[in-house]
Amino acid sequence: MALTSEITKKTIIDLVEANARLDGRTIDQFRNAKITTGIVPNAQGSALIELGLTKILAGVKLVVGTPYPDKQDEGVLATGAEMAPIASSDFEKGPPSAASVEFARVVDRVIRESGIIDTKALCITPKEKVWMLYLDLYTLDMDGNLIDAGVLAGMAALLTAKMPTYDAETQTAGYENLTAPVPVNGKAIGVTHAKIGTKLIVDPTVDEEAIMSCRFTVGINDKDEVCAIQKGGVAGFTDTEIIWMIEDSIRHAKELRKVLP
Amino acid sequence: MALTSEITKKTIIDLVEANARLDGRTIDQFRNAKITTGIVPNAQGSALIELGLTKILAGVKLVVGTPYPDKQDEGVLATGAEMAPIASSDFEKGPPSAASVEFARVVDRVIRESGIIDTKALCITPKEKVWMLYLDLYTLDMDGNLIDAGVLAGMAALLTAKMPTYDAETQTAGYENLTAPVPVNGKAIGVTHAKIGTKLIVDPTVDEEAIMSCRFTVGINDKDEVCAIQKGGVAGFTDTEIIWMIEDSIRHAKELRKVLP
Amino acid sequence: MALTSEITKKTIIDLVEANARLDGRTIDQFRNAKITTGIVPNAQGSALIELGLTKILAGVKLVVGTPYPDKQDEGVLATGAEMAPIASSDFEKGPPSAASVEFARVVDRVIRESGIIDTKALCITPKEKVWMLYLDLYTLDMDGNLIDAGVLAGMAALLTAKMPTYDAETQTAGYENLTAPVPVNGKAIGVTHAKIGTKLIVDPTVDEEAIMSCRFTVGINDKDEVCAIQKGGVAGFTDTEIIWMIEDSIRHAKELRKVLP
Amino acid sequence: MDKPAWLIKNGIRLDGRTPGDVRPMKMIAGFLDKADGSCYIECGKTKVVVGVHGPREVHPKHEMQDTKALVRCTYNMESFSVDSERRRPGLDRRSTEISKVSAQALEAAILVERFPKTAIDIFMEVIQADASTRVTALTAASVALADAGIPMKDMVTAVSFGKLYGENGEEVVAVDMDKPEDNFGLADCAVAYMPNIDQFTLMQMDGNLKIDEMRAGMAMAKKACREIYEMQKAAIKRRYE
Amino acid sequence: MDKPAWLIKNGIRLDGRTPGDVRPMKMIAGFLDKADGSCYIECGKTKVVVGVHGPREVHPKHEMQDTKALVRCTYNMESFSVDSERRRPGLDRRSTEISKVSAQALEAAILVERFPKTAIDIFMEVIQADASTRVTALTAASVALADAGIPMKDMVTAVSFGKLYGENGEEVVAVDMDKPEDNFGLADCAVAYMPNIDQFTLMQMDGNLKIDEMRAGMAMAKKACREIYEMQKAAIKRRYE
Amino acid sequence: MDKPAWLIKNGIRLDGRTPGDVRPMKMIAGFLDKADGSCYIECGKTKVVVGVHGPREVHPKHEMQDTKALVRCTYNMESFSVDSERRRPGLDRRSTEISKVSAQALEAAILVERFPKTAIDIFMEVIQADASTRVTALTAASVALADAGIPMKDMVTAVSFGKLYGENGEEVVAVDMDKPEDNFGLADCAVAYMPNIDQFTLMQMDGNLKIDEMRAGMAMAKKACREIYEMQKAAIKRRYE
């Protein structure tokens, strides 16, 4: 395991107590987010995010599928996420860990519940053919706060993705010379706080995650409403802390939307 | 492992030698079987059996499927069984153990080979659509003799199960306001003996199973014929022992049928 | 692990240095290959090869399937290979090892790339139904050089295989009274050399494989061209060595074709 | 199930409850014999059996923790527990996520440092699913842990809250979602709460809630949890009568 | 395969056998080189190769038994061994069950306490399946164990018996079911038997048999097993000629 | 993609290259922070990220080697990296084979005996696949190993060669296959080469080549590898500027 040394832990705790952090940020400051889109021409949309040292690659593929029985006139969003061992010596090969399942599901929830994907516009022929929108995330470098970075990467890939053409005769997708955008009507944002000592810090690094007692992710939709919440870690939050984190998340979401394409 | 202590083993062996048992039964006595049906309204049929301290929950689901190529006018019975870790510290998480596969297959064999399920009556449209009858067993509390308890629970669930309706247009099942019974024409029973020392005891507890040298399960159909046999464990049986156990099983089956709905 | 003793290793190395081998062969000599076909009447073609002590059973099954979207008028060849634990105490139960995946894929590549299977002749109805040709290999006794033995066994099974009949009404295969041969137009051969010390030896035994520094397999088609190559093991080959091995493989291929039916 | 015209009308929900009402609940501590602690629970039509094994030896060994007990949770739905077609047996991605956050929610209350190098395994078997299954299971798990004699700082009580639409388009926050409310409601939030320590140890929400609705929901959830807490204590007490 | 009008007529079965006849059998001990013991067997058109590895080190370690050898068995059917479409490779639930009861049936004969902390692994590869594969494999396994020099109390011999329908509706008990008899017969019972100790170590039956038919079948099976036992001994003897 | 009338015409390939030209390449050593060594590489439109972790502790323990480092490789294609429909995530049989031979090709260069009882893990993530992915990944892996400070006898450089059809049916050997050349070319051969030791440590070929074409291809590949070697050295040098 890529252990955070005891001395680093002590330093982090002392700094946070004084509202400061190892990388120079205040406790309520997000790291710089750099987004590069179009890095994977074979995908219908793609983006590499660098949130501090955390790097996640997101790609979108649209393929022809059949609708779910209970939603026969809607396309399907499916989000996958790999915490691949390239990104951290803490990640292992093999079947998806519970952590990577949680990661994928929370990113999915933030985007899905924000309502920004017009799944009805992804219907080709009701009851028969719809577009399956696969959003896959690959963590390449793990320096903490995968969820928020994953939502940003996923949103950037979605916002720049182009629709394939549909060949009615062969019932297959065509992937050349695409122009029409994927029906995405807004920007969902995830904002995560961690609790260290009695302080709540935003956008934790991996060293901070190693010593946090718990974390709290808020998904924010375009109307500044809460569209998803995931509490993680063992310790608990008071309702005062929760309300403060939600309010703070709404503030951060306004800034983070600006880095999206 | 939930070890049976050496002292308990010794006591059991001594008692059995004297035709007696730790729980007060004679060696040829079944435990009391209490069956509660209808415990799972979402299932088409369900039953909780308490055979002594052994608890198994059985549920029946009927779904629309396609027939097997070699039996195009028959529905399909599929039996699953989980020896879930809630029931015993001897049961492990993960893929089904060989023991749980054997458990499911023997319960299936007793019910299937007794001929009591009218699979032709489970045909909807020959060659196209049939009812898939899924019988699933969950062991909640493991105090031995899962097979006999599983057959009783499964039979109770089947005997009280109701047929879904079939919507020809959507080719799906409807699960509301059900009245017609599932076509079950009889009561299959499984009876298991275990060999401890030179004695054959019926309906072993988990402590008895821990010291038995082998076991013998007989499936009995409505005509008091043998419809299934499964010998388990390492040691062997003489033909005299086998014939005696079959005769004894037929006797017990008559009594056990009375506890079924 | 079935260890090759240190003394055996030393002997092999000394012998090879003198162009000789433990089993009396020269370093450029193949073991005797004995092929028995038709051993599995339930298969459409089958063969047991004994290459020295190595034994591999190959069987061919033809079933009705659907074509790949990009090859709608061609049947499909699929090769599987098991390095089952019966064959060697080095082989383990469980999911296919990387070694067995490589084994299957290289045998497949030699046969497929030689072009001898007329996949278009395996088309039943373009875009709809084609023959799936499954070639499965089971290693029963492992004394080295599985790839070459596997290609020989596979070829013998293919060359003696008969086509099932196609029942257009039920869209299924009929397996009785078969006479038409499977469309195989030639004989693909694999030849493997191993490097021990500075020497290149052909057709290594399992003891020789245990001490070789690397190996090189050449697939040869009917026109004496190279149709596949797979280098294995850690050390490297010079281009002079590679060219010599290819030339030598072409020579051996001529002889090996004679043992095929 | 078809979408109803409203989920709440004149302050009364489809099944007759007011927004703050939880469904009738039933808890039986010590339901199982072979588990170290157990609880059978009903919340409306939702039914769950929870069994606790431990503190016991850790398998696999490499998961052992030197300074505290390893708390593991397995949330599982029986194949026939759902109102739709048969669920494929085994753990899916949803179960994996719920198992993870449930273990954390419970560990928050357990005095884990008293049992270093051991495992406490909590198995939740959902027998009949009528929404709010994870919170119902958590409530039962806390009783099962107490039944197993495992010392805790506080009980964990759990409930869901959400947002219902009314006859005239009004939106109403309410606790303990049932199946129609879960399927058609405007938001669903599962919480686990320690009533004495006054902290939330689990929170998972989806849907759409304004911050004031979050405030209202959390307040209603806390009130409901205190009621459930009394039922938990009563269930444990009955066990020793 | 279509259902025939009868499986037995005037006491003669479809392939010409009487009820007590086993099909022609062939056994080759020492068929494999790398296994510690092995046997190739044919029983009519059924063909199986069995290899034994052991006594050897136990992997995984935690399966090791302190006072006796661990006897493990893997029954596997080659993908092309069946008369229908290709069988998907790998162990299915049927193979898992057969492997389990086969290991127990063989362990009954092995002097396991002589090899504590070791594993004896028996691999059964069904090459061509024409019914009665598990009993044919068991008969070969016993020869392979002897070939491996593993001491046994007795040989395990195995055969199937079942019930056939005749031209006029009569029902006849017979041994060694072949494929049509397995597919259409009224009952099928696999048994493993130790001829000197006179005990059955495996019995798996399905179909319908009256108790008198069970008696008759077991008697016929014992007689057949004694014949097979002589063939086993001959095969082992040939190995050392 | 439809089959073009020719892949080479008057000595010029579809994308304007001569037979001996490799596509434009770009390498960034030290692309990742948490890996011990890393490299981002582009070869035409093919893009790969390689990360090296190690030498480090071996898990699982039983894979540990007493006298040398265990070199493991994982070649993985992102689900969206291909030009066709989405690839199912995870390792398939092709990835398993490539991972195996890639580990061997790299181990040939690493001074493994200096790090007994450790593991060196090389992860290759194919981001965008436009043919020749495995050789592009191997070239980057060598840079990543150097970036990790792992001592090597030589760099491993890798390239593909193959055979193209011309306008008039002529057949031409060329290096560095791109996607149309890979799809429609007459042969494809991946090689890894150590330029100073002058040995090939990986070779995987399919298609059809006469022995003289093999000779020509290997000569062209060696020349291309020497060019790539200079780019590798430059990338490593840039890392320390």
Side-chain angles (χ1 to χ4, degrees):
Chain A
M1 201 190 292
L3 291 165
T4 303
S5 74
E6 289 306 313
I7 195 121
T8 308
K9 284 185 187 175
K10 178 81 176 64
T11 312
I12 291 172
I13 293 167
D14 291 347
L15 281 170
V16 165
E17 210 50 48
N19 294 338
R21 297 163 87 168
L22 215 52
D23 56 8
R25 288 185 284 161
T26 66
I27 60 172
D28 195 34
Q29 197 177 343
F30 242 80
R31 286 172 290 182
N32 191 40
K34 182 184 161 201
I35 292 174
T36 313
T37 58
I39 194 170
V40 185
N42 279 343
Q44 277 75 70
S46 63
L48 176 70
I49 185 165
E50 297 169 70
L51 180 66
L53 295 173
T54 289
K55 285 192 191 64
I56 299 179
L57 179 68
V60 167
K61 274 277 185 190
L62 286 131
V63 305
V64 177
T66 47
Y68 284 123
D70 56 339
K71 294 191 174 175
Q72 303 218 327
D73 60 345
E74 295 187 34
V76 174
L77 167 68
T79 305
E82 288 210 9
M83 287 161 64
I86 192 174
S88 165
S89 30
D90 290 342
F91 296 170
E92 285 167 25
K93 280 175 71 173
S97 63
S100 75
V101 168
E102 185 190 25
F103 171 33
R105 284 178 59 84
V106 176
V107 171
D108 184 274
R109 206 177 300 152
V110 170
I111 295 175
R112 180 188 305 275
E113 299 292 328
S114 74
I116 57 164
I117 310 263
D118 183 354
T119 48
K120 299 218 168 172
L122 293 174
C123 181
I124 300 169
T125 315
K127 296 187 189 178
E128 286 177 17
K129 295 289 170 197
V130 297
W131 290 109
M132 312 287 293
L133 197 171
Y134 288 103
L135 170 62
D136 285 305
L137 304 174
Y138 288 85
T139 304
L140 297 175
D141 218 350
M142 162 57 172
D143 195 24
N145 198 9
L146 293 187
I147 294 173
D148 299 357
V151 172
L152 285 170
M155 282 308 309
L158 286 166
L159 288 163
T160 56
K162 303 293 179 209
M163 289 301 297
T165 52
Y166 179 68
D167 183 331
E169 199 192 330
T170 62
Q171 304 196 331
T172 57
Y175 294 110
E176 281 164 40
N177 310 317
L178 310 180
T179 53
V182 168
V184 179
N185 308 313
K187 297 175 178 179
I189 299 290
V191 177
T192 298
H193 290 79
K195 190 171 181 175
I196 293 182
T198 59
K199 300 282 183 173
L200 301 172
I201 67 169
V202 81
D203 181 25
T205 65
V206 72
D207 286 339
E208 290 166 347
E209 287 179 350
I211 55 169
M212 71 184 180
S213 57
C214 46
R215 64 169 158 74
F216 198 85
T217 300
V218 183
I220 308 287
N221 69 14
D222 255 22
K223 290 179 280 184
D224 282 344
E225 292 169 345
V226 180
C227 65
I229 287 174
Q230 181 84 344
K231 185 254 167 185
V234 169
F237 291 105
T238 64
D239 47 7
T240 313
E241 288 173 332
I242 289 170
I243 293 297
W244 182 86
M245 289 188 289
I246 293 173
E247 288 171 339
D248 194 53
S249 298
I250 294 169
R251 275 192 297 276
H252 283 290
K254 287 187 212 296
E255 295 304 310
L256 289 169
R257 273 186 211 111
K258 296 178 189 163
V259 306
L260 286 175
Chain B
M1 201 191 291
L3 291 166
T4 303
S5 74
E6 289 306 312
I7 196 120
T8 308
K9 284 185 187 176
K10 178 82 176 61
T11 312
I12 292 172
I13 293 168
D14 291 346
L15 280 171
V16 164
E17 208 51 48
N19 293 337
R21 298 163 86 167
L22 215 51
D23 57 6
R25 286 185 286 161
T26 67
I27 60 172
D28 195 34
Q29 197 178 342
F30 243 79
R31 286 173 288 183
N32 190 40
K34 181 184 160 199
I35 293 174
T36 313
T37 58
I39 192 168
V40 185
N42 279 343
Q44 278 76 69
S46 63
L48 176 71
I49 183 163
E50 297 170 69
L51 180 65
L53 295 174
T54 290
K55 285 192 192 63
I56 300 179
L57 179 68
V60 167
K61 272 279 185 189
L62 285 131
V63 304
V64 178
T66 47
Y68 284 124
D70 56 339
K71 294 191 173 173
Q72 304 218 326
D73 59 346
E74 297 187 32
V76 174
L77 167 68
T79 305
E82 287 209 10
M83 286 160 65
I86 192 175
S88 163
S89 31
D90 290 342
F91 297 170
E92 285 168 23
K93 279 176 71 172
S97 64
S100 74
V101 168
E102 185 191 26
F103 170 34
R105 285 179 58 84
V106 175
V107 171
D108 184 273
R109 205 177 300 152
V110 170
I111 294 175
R112 179 188 305 276
E113 299 292 328
S114 74
I116 56 162
I117 310 264
D118 184 354
T119 49
K120 299 218 170 175
L122 292 175
C123 181
I124 300 169
T125 315
K127 298 187 188 177
E128 286 176 20
K129 294 290 171 197
V130 297
W131 290 108
M132 312 288 293
L133 196 171
Y134 288 103
L135 171 62
D136 285 304
L137 304 174
Y138 288 85
T139 304
L140 297 175
D141 217 350
M142 163 56 172
D143 194 25
N145 199 10
L146 292 188
I147 294 174
D148 299 357
V151 172
L152 286 170
M155 282 307 310
L158 287 166
L159 287 164
T160 55
K162 302 294 179 209
M163 290 300 296
T165 52
Y166 179 68
D167 183 332
E169 199 192 330
T170 61
Q171 303 197 332
T172 56
Y175 294 110
E176 281 164 39
N177 309 318
L178 311 180
T179 53
V182 168
V184 179
N185 308 313
K187 296 177 179 181
I189 299 291
V191 178
T192 297
H193 290 79
K195 191 171 180 175
I196 292 181
T198 58
K199 299 283 184 173
L200 300 171
I201 66 169
V202 81
D203 180 26
T205 64
V206 73
D207 286 338
E208 290 165 348
E209 287 179 348
I211 54 169
M212 71 182 178
S213 56
C214 44
R215 65 168 156 75
F216 198 85
T217 300
V218 183
I220 308 287
N221 68 15
D222 254 22
K223 290 178 281 186
D224 281 344
E225 292 169 344
V226 180
C227 65
I229 288 174
Q230 180 84 342
K231 185 255 166 186
V234 168
F237 290 105
T238 63
D239 48 7
T240 312
E241 288 172 332
I242 290 170
I243 293 298
W244 183 85
M245 289 188 289
I246 294 174
E247 288 172 337
D248 194 52
S249 297
I250 293 170
R251 274 193 297 276
H252 282 291
K254 286 186 212 296
E255 294 304 311
L256 289 169
R257 271 186 213 112
K258 295 178 189 164
V259 306
L260 285 175
Chain C
M1 201 189 294
L3 291 166
T4 303
S5 74
E6 288 307 312
I7 196 121
T8 308
K9 285 185 184 174
K10 178 84 176 61
T11 311
I12 292 172
I13 292 167
D14 291 347
L15 281 170
V16 164
E17 210 50 49
N19 294 338
R21 297 164 87 168
L22 214 54
D23 57 7
R25 286 185 286 162
T26 67
I27 60 172
D28 195 35
Q29 197 179 341
F30 242 81
R31 286 171 289 181
N32 190 42
K34 182 185 161 201
I35 293 174
T36 312
T37 58
I39 194 169
V40 186
N42 279 342
Q44 277 76 70
S46 63
L48 175 72
I49 185 163
E50 298 169 69
L51 180 66
L53 295 174
T54 289
K55 285 192 192 65
I56 299 178
L57 179 68
V60 167
K61 273 278 183 189
L62 285 130
V63 304
V64 177
T66 47
Y68 284 123
D70 56 339
K71 294 190 173 173
Q72 303 217 326
D73 60 346
E74 296 187 34
V76 174
L77 168 67
T79 305
E82 287 209 11
M83 286 161 65
I86 191 174
S88 164
S89 28
D90 291 342
F91 297 170
E92 285 167 25
K93 280 176 72 171
S97 64
S100 75
V101 169
E102 185 190 26
F103 171 34
R105 284 180 58 84
V106 175
V107 171
D108 184 274
R109 206 178 300 153
V110 170
I111 294 174
R112 179 187 306 274
E113 298 292 328
S114 73
I116 56 163
I117 310 266
D118 184 353
T119 48
K120 299 217 169 176
L122 293 175
C123 181
I124 300 169
T125 315
K127 298 187 188 179
E128 286 176 18
K129 293 291 172 198
V130 298
W131 290 109
M132 313 288 293
L133 196 171
Y134 288 102
L135 171 62
D136 284 304
L137 304 174
Y138 287 85
T139 304
L140 297 175
D141 218 351
M142 163 55 172
D143 195 25
N145 199 12
L146 293 188
I147 295 173
D148 299 357
V151 173
L152 285 169
M155 282 307 310
L158 287 166
L159 288 163
T160 55
K162 304 294 179 208
M163 291 300 296
T165 52
Y166 178 68
D167 182 332
E169 199 192 330
T170 62
Q171 303 196 334
T172 57
Y175 295 111
E176 280 165 39
N177 309 319
L178 310 180
T179 53
V182 168
V184 180
N185 309 313
K187 297 176 178 179
I189 298 290
V191 178
T192 297
H193 289 79
K195 192 171 181 175
I196 293 181
T198 58
K199 300 282 184 173
L200 300 171
I201 66 169
V202 80
D203 181 23
T205 64
V206 73
D207 286 339
E208 290 165 348
E209 287 178 349
I211 56 168
M212 72 183 179
S213 56
C214 46
R215 66 170 156 73
F216 197 86
T217 299
V218 184
I220 309 288
N221 69 15
D222 254 22
K223 290 178 280 185
D224 281 344
E225 292 169 345
V226 180
C227 65
I229 286 174
Q230 180 84 343
K231 184 253 166 187
V234 168
F237 290 106
T238 64
D239 48 6
T240 314
E241 289 173 332
I242 289 170
I243 293 298
W244 183 85
M245 288 187 291
I246 294 174
E247 289 172 338
D248 194 52
S249 296
I250 294 170
R251 275 194 297 277
H252 282 291
K254 286 187 212 297
E255 294 305 310
L256 289 170
R257 272 185 213 111
K258 295 178 190 164
V259 306
L260 285 175
Chain D
M1 203 184 284
D2 293 323
K3 187 173 176 173
W6 46 266
L7 289 170
I8 189 160
K9 183 176 175 176
N10 300 329
I12 303 299
R13 297 151 76 174
L14 282 176
D15 65 352
R17 287 185 287 158
T18 69
D21 288 347
V22 298
R23 290 174 284 178
M25 293 184 79
K26 179 177 165 185
M27 299 179 208
I28 304 172
F31 182 74
L32 303 176
D33 183 66
K34 298 296 172 186
D36 295 309
S38 60
C39 181
Y40 170 83
I41 191 167
E42 293 184 5
C43 174
K45 283 184 281 185
T46 290
K47 300 179 185 181
V48 185
V49 176
V50 176
V52 169
H53 289 263
R56 61 179 180 182
E57 253 189 271
V58 185
H59 296 285
K61 286 274 175 226
H62 68 85
E63 293 190 4
M64 196 175 77
Q65 296 178 322
D66 279 339
T67 59
K68 59 178 184 135
L70 176 69
V71 177
R72 294 184 292 204
C73 188
T74 306
Y75 166 98
N76 185 48
M77 295 181 84
E78 319 305 48
S79 58
F80 44 72
S81 64
V82 291
D83 66 348
S84 55
E85 301 219 327
R86 175 177 180 258
R87 208 188 143 272
R88 211 167 147 258
L91 299 185
D92 55 13
R93 289 159 51 95
R94 176 179 169 275
S95 304
T96 300
E97 184 194 351
I98 293 176
S99 297
K100 181 174 189 283
V101 294
S102 296
Q104 294 174 333
L106 293 165
E107 184 178 338
I110 298 170
L111 297 175
V112 285
E113 60 287 346
R114 294 218 191 147
F115 305 99
K117 304 185 183 185
T118 69
I120 297 172
D121 287 306
I122 301 143
F123 301 102
M124 301 166 162
E125 298 286 339
V126 178
I127 284 178
Q128 155 89 8
D130 195 73
S132 300
T133 55
R134 80 190 71 178
V135 287
T136 304
L138 279 164
T139 293
S142 208
V143 173
L145 285 163
D147 180 42
I150 293 173
M152 292 184 283
K153 302 193 256 263
D154 197 351
M155 289 295 275
V156 171
T157 59
V159 80
S160 63
F161 69 86
K163 188 163 65 171
L164 311 177
Y165 56 89
E167 202 184 7
N168 305 309
E170 72 274 23
E171 299 182 350
V172 183
V173 173
V175 293
D176 187 17
M177 302 290 98
D178 63 17
K179 191 72 190 163
E181 293 173 342
D182 183 35
N183 284 6
F184 303 110
L186 305 167
D188 185 24
C189 185
V191 303
Y193 175 70
M194 294 190 293
N196 297 302
I197 295 172
D198 188 22
Q199 286 193 334
F200 290 92
T201 66
L202 177 139
M203 189 171 286
Q204 293 185 287
M205 179 266 187
D206 53 54
N208 282 287
L209 287 176
K210 298 187 181 62
I211 194 157
D212 285 341
E213 293 166 338
M214 275 299 301
R215 267 197 199 93
M218 283 161 71
M220 289 176 85
K222 280 167 77 162
K223 184 166 165 295
C225 281
R226 286 201 195 90
E227 291 169 25
I228 294 167
Y229 175 54
E230 296 305 319
M231 292 188 256
Q232 289 177 310
K233 284 193 291 187
I236 295 161
K237 200 172 156 211
R238 273 196 301 279
R239 172 77 164 127
Y240 296 101
E241 275 165 7
Chain E
M1 200 184 284
D2 293 322
K3 185 173 175 173
W6 47 266
L7 290 170
I8 188 159
K9 182 177 176 176
N10 300 329
I12 303 297
R13 295 149 77 174
L14 282 175
D15 65 353
R17 288 185 286 157
T18 67
D21 288 346
V22 297
R23 289 173 285 179
M25 293 183 79
K26 179 177 163 185
M27 299 179 208
I28 304 173
F31 182 74
L32 303 176
D33 183 66
K34 298 296 171 187
D36 295 309
S38 60
C39 181
Y40 171 83
I41 191 167
E42 293 182 4
C43 174
K45 285 184 282 186
T46 290
K47 300 177 186 182
V48 185
V49 176
V50 176
V52 170
H53 288 264
R56 62 179 180 182
E57 251 187 274
V58 184
H59 295 285
K61 286 276 176 225
H62 68 84
E63 293 190 3
M64 195 174 77
Q65 297 178 320
D66 280 337
T67 59
K68 59 178 186 132
L70 176 69
V71 178
R72 293 183 294 203
C73 188
T74 307
Y75 166 98
N76 184 47
M77 296 181 83
E78 319 305 48
S79 59
F80 44 72
S81 64
V82 291
D83 67 347
S84 55
E85 301 219 327
R86 174 176 181 260
R87 205 187 144 276
R88 210 167 150 259
L91 300 185
D92 55 13
R93 289 159 51 94
R94 176 179 169 274
S95 304
T96 300
E97 185 194 351
I98 293 176
S99 297
K100 181 175 190 282
V101 293
S102 297
Q104 293 174 331
L106 293 166
E107 184 179 339
I110 299 170
L111 298 174
V112 286
E113 60 286 348
R114 293 218 192 149
F115 306 99
K117 303 183 184 189
T118 69
I120 296 172
D121 287 307
I122 301 143
F123 300 103
M124 302 166 161
E125 297 287 340
V126 178
I127 285 178
Q128 155 89 9
D130 195 73
S132 299
T133 56
R134 80 191 71 180
V135 287
T136 304
L138 279 164
T139 293
S142 207
V143 174
L145 285 163
D147 181 42
I150 291 172
M152 293 184 281
K153 303 194 256 261
D154 197 351
M155 290 293 276
V156 171
T157 59
V159 79
S160 64
F161 69 86
K163 187 161 69 170
L164 311 178
Y165 56 89
E167 202 185 8
N168 304 310
E170 73 274 25
E171 299 182 350
V172 182
V173 173
V175 292
D176 187 17
M177 303 290 99
D178 63 17
K179 192 72 190 163
E181 293 172 342
D182 184 34
N183 284 6
F184 304 110
L186 306 168
D188 185 24
C189 185
V191 303
Y193 176 69
M194 295 191 292
N196 297 302
I197 294 172
D198 188 23
Q199 284 192 337
F200 290 93
T201 65
L202 176 139
M203 187 170 287
Q204 291 185 287
M205 179 268 187
D206 53 54
N208 282 288
L209 286 176
K210 297 186 181 63
I211 194 157
D212 285 341
E213 293 165 337
M214 276 299 301
R215 267 197 200 93
M218 283 161 70
M220 289 175 85
K222 280 166 77 161
K223 184 166 166 295
C225 281
R226 286 200 195 90
E227 291 169 24
I228 294 167
Y229 175 54
E230 296 304 318
M231 293 188 255
Q232 289 176 310
K233 285 193 290 186
I236 294 161
K237 200 172 155 208
R238 275 196 302 280
R239 172 77 165 127
Y240 295 102
E241 274 165 7
Chain F
M1 201 184 285
D2 294 323
K3 186 173 177 174
W6 46 265
L7 289 170
I8 189 161
K9 182 176 176 178
N10 300 328
I12 302 298
R13 294 150 78 174
L14 283 175
D15 65 353
R17 288 185 287 158
T18 69
D21 289 347
V22 297
R23 289 173 286 179
M25 293 183 79
K26 179 178 163 185
M27 300 179 207
I28 303 172
F31 182 74
L32 303 176
D33 183 66
K34 298 296 172 188
D36 296 309
S38 60
C39 181
Y40 170 84
I41 190 166
E42 293 183 5
C43 174
K45 284 183 283 186
T46 290
K47 300 177 185 181
V48 185
V49 176
V50 176
V52 170
H53 288 264
R56 63 179 179 181
E57 250 189 275
V58 185
H59 295 285
K61 286 275 175 226
H62 68 85
E63 293 191 3
M64 196 175 75
Q65 297 178 321
D66 281 338
T67 60
K68 59 179 186 133
L70 175 69
V71 178
R72 292 183 294 202
C73 189
T74 307
Y75 167 98
N76 185 48
M77 297 181 83
E78 318 306 48
S79 59
F80 44 72
S81 65
V82 293
D83 67 348
S84 54
E85 300 218 329
R86 174 177 182 258
R87 206 188 144 274
R88 208 166 150 260
L91 299 185
D92 56 13
R93 288 159 53 95
R94 175 179 170 274
S95 305
T96 300
E97 185 193 352
I98 293 176
S99 297
K100 181 174 191 282
V101 293
S102 297
Q104 294 173 332
L106 292 165
E107 183 178 339
I110 298 169
L111 297 175
V112 285
E113 59 286 348
R114 294 218 191 146
F115 305 99
K117 304 184 184 187
T118 69
I120 297 172
D121 287 305
I122 301 143
F123 300 102
M124 301 166 161
E125 297 287 339
V126 178
I127 284 179
Q128 154 88 9
D130 195 72
S132 299
T133 55
R134 81 190 72 179
V135 287
T136 304
L138 278 164
T139 293
S142 207
V143 174
L145 285 163
D147 181 42
I150 292 172
M152 292 184 282
K153 302 194 257 262
D154 198 352
M155 290 294 276
V156 171
T157 59
V159 79
S160 63
F161 69 85
K163 189 163 66 170
L164 311 177
Y165 56 89
E167 201 183 10
N168 305 308
E170 73 275 22
E171 299 182 350
V172 181
V173 173
V175 293
D176 188 17
M177 303 291 98
D178 64 16
K179 192 72 191 163
E181 294 173 342
D182 183 35
N183 283 7
F184 304 111
L186 306 167
D188 185 24
C189 186
V191 303
Y193 176 69
M194 293 190 293
N196 297 302
I197 294 172
D198 189 22
Q199 285 192 336
F200 290 93
T201 65
L202 176 139
M203 187 169 286
Q204 292 185 286
M205 178 267 188
D206 53 54
N208 282 287
L209 286 176
K210 297 186 181 64
I211 193 157
D212 285 342
E213 294 166 337
M214 275 299 302
R215 268 198 198 92
M218 284 162 70
M220 289 176 84
K222 280 167 76 161
K223 183 167 167 297
C225 280
R226 287 202 193 88
E227 292 170 24
I228 294 167
Y229 175 53
E230 296 304 319
M231 291 188 258
Q232 289 176 311
K233 284 194 291 188
I236 294 162
K237 202 173 153 210
R238 273 195 304 279
R239 172 77 164 126
Y240 294 102
E241 275 166 6

